[in-house]
């Protein structure tokens, strides 16, 4: 979607060409008024002149008359059912006393929408019925609430008008900034279409996803989960970045979807009795009970109730312990590493140091004293039985030992975790669960369908009443960071959005670094609404309506507020979807007129007309007023850094 002022024909044409050159199959342009509609004629003409026939989509809010004008120029019209006939989103609680009142508004909507349908039918144009979670009409909210079901009905109201006029060149979208809501809405839409025997295309997107790795992760979770289910015909990765930069992650996701379809990945059919796409219910794996809370070696500290992150550590990392501690996200207290809010809960060492390696053994001891758990293969612990370590065993090892842990475990090792492929029999899983393992690592073989094997695995353990926590152990290959984010977000997100999984282990043969894999794991858990370790931002991608530089402002806000886990801040360039899409946010920063900002607390405007150069500081003060502010911690430097600083000073 372009971010230029649509009235600036040359700038908009240039941006459309950049997007097309980067691989865009369609480009959307905001059209908010008559002057913009007039400019669209010239935009289309110039693009044809320059040899670009990329289909253009007009983004319409509030203005049916403008939609009628612009369909003379563009190939598709996107209408928002929440405001096409109902105006700007408000938070007033409107109650419709009876069905007659509701139906009267539907009739008024039909009267306004029908002329556009008739004209598009005549001209051979397409219509996207684009529902947004944050801008449902008061009518829908009154009857259905702020729900995926309401989103589907909102779209179906407009679809019925299209069908009534024998117009079928339309498609649906069900966008939300929350990937869980988005996935549920699309699945529900597809289900309802099956019931109606409809087969209209779907355009996928997570709206207001944000920027950078977080924006890519949210999009990968939402879009990827649906593509791996075989849902979706067009996609957009909505980022607070220059629009042509959306193409690369978008292309990666499209490849995931097309490969899954072409290869027909999956497993033998099985019946799912526990996963319900119409409602979200997390399977909560049982956490180990504390036996000695005062002891850092107590196994209850090795997992986290909101989702665990375990990191695979190479033995060579112990050559520089302080760097290792930092890569694991530890904070330093008096020079010693301790768990912080985004520290790996445990580490997995495939190879243990020799007991005589004093440096490595000391580093492991310090991590354990900082309450970081240690998991290692049974074969390694037999060579060096480190106190407090958890033995990682395979089903083959367990069965070879006759299922007798006492004969398998070295002296001093009390806890085990199983490394499973997901294709074990129910009998094997029951025998493993019977020895009360700390957790199960689900490591699906490469080249097999992680999503489908994992779903079958979870159905199996739920039918067997196995409550052990399950962590997804994912090995991701790729040459760039986006390979890890997009593939990991899609494959793991498809499971976590269904509540299937209690944590992550991300591993890659590539040279991405321990810190990146750890932060990506935490980002995935936060994107799936599991574990919050940093401020969450809902920021729109910018368009021709935007009243300030979104990238610059977003960066300024992040610099000052990025240390507030559990706090959600919405940054909206205009009033169109702003108040609605930020309904789940704690605080909102919304452009209303050029140079002025309104600040929201929840759904309420609390400060209006603030000058741009004062608005970020005012936002910080607002967060403080509502007692959600904490001062950023001053990081304690490690001894090595202190020595380097001293040497530099000398």
């Amino acid at each position: 979607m372009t971010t230029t002022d649509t009235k600036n024909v040359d700038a908009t044409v240039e941006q459309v060409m950049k997007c097309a050159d980067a691989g865009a199959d369609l480009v959307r342009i905001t059209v908010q008024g008559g002057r913009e509609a007039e400019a669209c004629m010239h935009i289309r003409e110039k693009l044809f002149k320059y040899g670009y026939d990329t289909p253009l989509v007009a983004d319409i809010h509030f203005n049916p008359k403008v939609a009628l004008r612009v369909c003379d120029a563009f190939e598709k019209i996107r209408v928002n059912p929440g405001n096409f006939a109902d105006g700007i989103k408000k938070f007033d609680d409107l109650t419709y006393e009876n069905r007659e009142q509701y139906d009267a508004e539907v009739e008024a909507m039909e009267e306004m929408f029908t002329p556009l349908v008739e004209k598009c039918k005549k001209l051979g144009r397409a219509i996207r019925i684009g529902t947004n979670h944050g801008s449902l009409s008061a009518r829908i909210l009154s009857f259905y609430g702020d729900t995926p079901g309401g989103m589907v009905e909102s779209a179906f109201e407009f679809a019925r008008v299209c069908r009534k006029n024998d117009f079928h060149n339309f498609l649906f979208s069900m966008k939300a900034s929350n990937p869980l809501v988005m996935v549920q809405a699309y699945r529900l839409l597809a289900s309802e279409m099956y019931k109606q025997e409809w087969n209209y295309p779907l355009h996928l997107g997570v709206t207001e996803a944000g920027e950078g790795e977080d924006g890519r992760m949210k999009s990968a979770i939402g879009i990827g989960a649906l593509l791996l289910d075989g849902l979706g015909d067009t996609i957009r990765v909505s980022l607070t970045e220059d629009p042509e930069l959306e193409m690369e992650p978008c292309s990666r996701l499209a490849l995931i979807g097309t490969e899954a379809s072409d290869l027909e990945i999956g497993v033998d059919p099985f019946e799912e009795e526990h996963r319900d796409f119409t409602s979200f219910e997390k399977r909560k794996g049982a956490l180990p009970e504390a036996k000695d809370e005062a002891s850092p070696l107590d196994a209850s500290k090795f997992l986290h109730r909101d989702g665990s992150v375990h990191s695979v550590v190479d033995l060579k990392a112990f050559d520089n312990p302080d760097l290792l501690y930092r890569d694991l996200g530890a904070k330093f207290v008096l020079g010693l590493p301790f768990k912080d809010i985004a520290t790996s809960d445990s580490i997995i060492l495939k190879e243990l140091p020799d007991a005589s390696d004093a440096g490595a053994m000391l580093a492991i001891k310090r991590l354990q004293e900082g309450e970081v758990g240690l998991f290692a293969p049974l074969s390694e612990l037999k060579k060096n039985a480190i106190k407090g370590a958890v033995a990682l065993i395979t089903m083959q090892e367990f069965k070879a030992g006759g299922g007798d842990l006492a004969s398998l475990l070295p002296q001093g090792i009390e806890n085990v975790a199983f490394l499973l492929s997901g294709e074990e029999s129910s009998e094997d899983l029951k025998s493993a669960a019977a020895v009360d393992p700390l957790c199960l690592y689900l490591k699906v073989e490469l080249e097999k369908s992680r999503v489908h094997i994992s779903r079958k695995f979870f159905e199996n353990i739920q039918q067997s009443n196995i409550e052990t926590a399950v962590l997804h152990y994912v090995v991701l290959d790729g040459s760039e960071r986006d390979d890890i984010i997009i593939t990991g977000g899609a494959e793991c997100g498809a499971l976590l959005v269904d509540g299937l999984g209690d944590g992550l282990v991300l591993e890659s043969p590539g040279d991405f670094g321990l810190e990146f894999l750890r932060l990506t794991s935490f980002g995935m858990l936060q994107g799936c609404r599991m574990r919050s370790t940093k401020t969450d931002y809902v920021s729109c991608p910018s368009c021709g309506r935007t009243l300030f530089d979104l990238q610059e402002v977003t960066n300024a806000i992040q610099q000052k507020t990025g240390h507030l886990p559990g706090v959600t801040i919405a940054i909206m360039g205009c009033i169109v979807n702003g108040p609605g899409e930020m309904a789940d946010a704690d605080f909102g920063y919304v452009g209303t007129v050029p140079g002025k900002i309104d600040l929201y607390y929840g759904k309420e405007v609390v400060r209006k007309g603030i000058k741009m150069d004062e608005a970020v500081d005012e936002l910080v003060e607002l967060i403080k007023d509502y007692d959600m502010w904490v001062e950023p911690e001053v990081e304690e430097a490690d001894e090595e850094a202190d020595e380097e600083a001293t040497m530099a000073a000398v």
Side-chain angles (χ1 to χ4, degrees):
M1 185 171 183
T2 59
T3 60
T4 54
D5 181 345
T6 306
K7 297 189 298 296
N8 188 334
V9 173
D10 290 338
T12 304
V13 167
E14 181 181 357
Q15 200 168 74
V16 170
M17 292 191 296
K18 279 185 179 180
C19 291
D21 291 343
D25 296 308
L26 300 92
V27 178
R28 182 156 50 114
I29 299 173
T30 186
V31 189
Q32 60 265 53
R35 288 182 296 171
E36 288 80 9
E38 179 64 27
C40 288
M41 301 295 295
H42 302 296
I43 291 168
R44 178 75 280 175
E45 289 170 2
K46 279 203 168 187
L47 285 167
F48 280 147
K49 177 182 175 182
Y50 295 146
Y52 285 80
D53 59 359
T54 304
L56 301 179
V57 184
D59 193 52
I60 302 294
H61 297 268
F62 315 125
N63 207 326
K65 292 181 180 179
V66 169
L68 283 169
R69 288 184 61 183
V70 78
C71 69
D72 287 320
F74 285 5
E75 287 77 14
K76 183 188 290 185
I77 310 298
R78 180 269 170 132
V79 298
N80 183 340
N83 60 34
F84 184 81
D86 294 84
I88 294 176
K89 166 78 175 179
K90 297 179 181 179
F91 289 115
D92 299 334
D93 292 326
L94 300 179
T95 302
Y96 290 73
E97 300 292 344
N98 51 58
R99 189 73 197 189
E100 286 73 21
Q101 287 181 301
Y102 185 100
D103 291 342
E105 281 207 6
V106 173
E107 289 177 10
M109 175 277 293
E110 181 177 348
E111 185 177 341
M112 297 179 74
F113 183 49
T114 297
L116 177 63
V117 173
E118 292 174 339
K119 188 168 185 179
C120 285
K121 182 179 178 181
K122 178 181 177 182
L123 297 177
R125 306 306 196 201
I127 293 177
R128 170 157 70 90
I129 302 172
T131 303
N132 269 22
H133 179 231
S135 54
L136 298 176
S137 67
R139 174 181 69 258
I140 290 291
L141 289 173
S142 176
F143 266 69
Y144 297 92
D146 191 10
T147 64
M151 295 172 68
V152 172
E153 179 57 29
S154 179
F156 270 28
E157 288 181 351
F158 279 64
R160 293 184 192 107
V161 176
C162 292
R163 290 175 59 83
K164 183 177 180 179
N165 289 275
D166 196 25
F167 176 74
H168 301 280
N169 193 20
F170 67 90
L171 68 156
F172 293 109
S173 63
M174 297 273 121
K175 294 191 179 184
S177 57
N178 181 337
L180 272 68
V181 173
M182 173 262 196
V183 169
Q184 189 178 340
Y186 275 104
R187 288 175 174 170
L188 187 60
L189 172 71
S191 174
E192 292 300 316
M193 280 206 291
Y194 285 136
K195 292 177 183 177
Q196 300 286 342
E197 296 185 348
W198 295 359
N199 191 26
Y200 298 105
L202 301 178
H203 171 68
L204 308 183
V206 177
T207 192
E208 276 84 28
E211 50 85 49
E213 293 173 357
D214 289 341
R216 285 161 175 77
M217 179 60 76
K218 286 182 184 178
S219 295
I221 292 167
I223 297 171
L226 293 165
L227 290 176
L228 289 172
D229 270 339
L231 299 176
D233 299 276
T234 61
I235 61 175
R236 183 205 173 187
V237 174
S238 173
L239 299 174
T240 310
E241 300 177 17
D242 293 337
E244 63 270 18
L245 299 181
E246 297 178 349
M247 291 304 104
E248 186 177 3
C250 201
S251 298
R252 292 176 192 271
L253 277 169
L255 184 61
I256 288 173
T258 53
E259 284 186 345
S261 176
D262 292 344
L263 297 174
E264 297 183 346
I265 63 171
V267 294
D268 292 335
F270 67 99
E271 187 173 345
E272 287 187 285
E273 298 179 357
H274 292 83
R275 189 175 69 94
D276 181 5
F277 68 86
T278 64
S279 63
F280 177 80
E281 183 177 353
K282 187 181 185 313
R283 174 196 175 270
K284 293 184 178 179
L287 299 179
E289 294 184 5
K291 296 179 180 178
D292 183 3
E293 292 187 4
S295 171
L297 299 180
D298 190 284
S300 65
K301 305 178 189 295
F302 302 166
L303 300 172
H304 194 282
R305 66 181 183 277
D306 296 325
S308 303
V309 170
H310 290 188
S311 296
V312 180
V313 176
D314 191 280
L315 185 57
K316 293 179 181 178
F318 288 90
D319 293 343
N320 188 342
D322 285 336
L323 177 60
L324 171 61
Y325 302 151
R326 292 192 179 281
D327 285 347
L328 290 171
K331 64 180 178 181
F332 287 86
V333 180
L334 300 176
L336 299 175
F338 284 89
K339 272 187 180 176
D340 203 355
I341 191 167
T343 307
S344 299
D345 299 293
S346 296
I347 62 171
I348 298 173
L349 272 176
K350 294 182 179 180
E351 181 183 2
L352 290 175
D354 190 272
S356 63
D357 187 340
M361 291 299 292
L362 177 60
I364 289 175
K365 181 181 178 182
R366 284 185 170 178
L367 283 171
Q368 289 181 307
E369 289 174 343
E371 300 185 347
V372 175
L374 170 63
F375 290 66
L378 176 62
S379 58
E380 288 294 305
L381 287 170
K382 286 182 176 180
K383 293 184 286 186
N384 184 5
I386 298 175
K387 183 180 179 182
V390 179
L392 186 55
I393 64 177
T394 65
M395 186 59 69
Q396 290 76 14
E397 289 173 320
F398 183 60
K399 293 171 76 172
D404 180 16
L405 281 186
S407 64
L408 281 173
L409 297 182
Q411 187 174 359
I413 303 301
E414 300 178 353
N415 293 298
V416 299
F418 279 89
L419 184 63
L420 305 174
S421 70
E423 299 181 89
E424 291 78 10
S425 67
S426 297
E427 291 72 22
D428 284 348
L429 291 174
K430 288 177 182 178
S431 65
V435 300
D436 195 24
L438 237 64
C439 64
L440 308 175
Y441 289 116
L442 179 54
K443 189 177 182 180
V444 177
E445 292 180 22
L446 294 175
E447 307 305 325
K448 291 192 176 182
S449 174
R450 179 183 314 283
V451 172
H452 299 95
I453 287 175
S454 298
R455 284 177 178 167
K456 188 172 183 178
F457 172 83
F458 277 101
E459 181 63 30
N460 199 347
I461 64 173
Q462 285 175 290
Q463 287 186 5
S464 300
N465 296 315
I466 296 172
E467 298 181 351
T468 312
V470 178
L471 277 66
H472 296 287
Y473 191 131
V474 187
V475 180
L476 297 167
D477 200 2
S479 58
E480 298 181 21
R481 289 188 169 193
D482 273 8
D483 292 324
I484 306 302
I485 294 169
I486 299 298
T487 305
E491 293 188 358
C492 295
L495 299 161
L496 295 176
V497 296
D498 282 327
L500 303 179
D502 302 285
L504 294 168
V505 182
L506 294 189
E507 184 182 7
S508 175
D511 187 22
F512 295 107
L514 176 59
E515 181 182 39
F516 168 72
L517 294 173
R518 172 181 61 85
L519 292 175
T520 300
S521 300
F522 278 111
M524 195 182 301
L525 292 179
Q526 182 149 333
C528 292
R529 295 301 196 267
M530 291 177 65
R531 183 174 177 181
S532 177
T533 52
K534 58 187 175 183
T535 313
D536 196 29
Y537 296 97
V538 178
S539 60
C540 72
S542 187
C543 69
R545 295 184 177 88
T546 304
L547 298 170
F548 54 80
D549 187 325
L550 262 163
Q551 294 182 48
E552 181 181 323
V553 169
T554 299
N555 182 63
I557 291 174
Q558 288 176 334
Q559 290 292 321
K560 292 198 173 185
T561 64
H563 62 288
L564 303 172
V567 174
T568 301
I569 299 174
I571 308 163
M572 298 293 164
C574 74
I575 202 68
V576 170
N577 279 328
E581 288 304 336
M582 68 182 191
D584 293 331
D586 300 298
F587 301 95
Y589 181 108
V590 182
T592 48
V593 296
K596 296 292 179 69
I597 299 297
D598 285 356
L599 296 180
Y600 284 69
Y601 174 66
K603 300 177 180 180
E604 181 183 358
V605 182
V606 290
R607 300 187 185 180
K608 301 187 71 172
I610 301 168
K611 294 179 180 178
M612 277 283 301
D613 57 358
E614 300 172 0
V616 176
D617 290 333
E618 284 284 330
L619 174 62
V620 171
E621 291 303 314
L622 183 64
I623 297 171
K624 290 179 179 179
D625 289 347
Y626 285 92
D627 295 325
M628 298 183 74
W629 178 266
V630 294
E631 293 297 333
E633 286 188 15
V634 178
E635 186 175 358
E636 181 181 318
D638 58 61
E639 294 178 7
E640 184 178 328
D642 285 343
E643 289 177 8
E644 290 177 0
T646 302
M647 292 292 291
V650 172

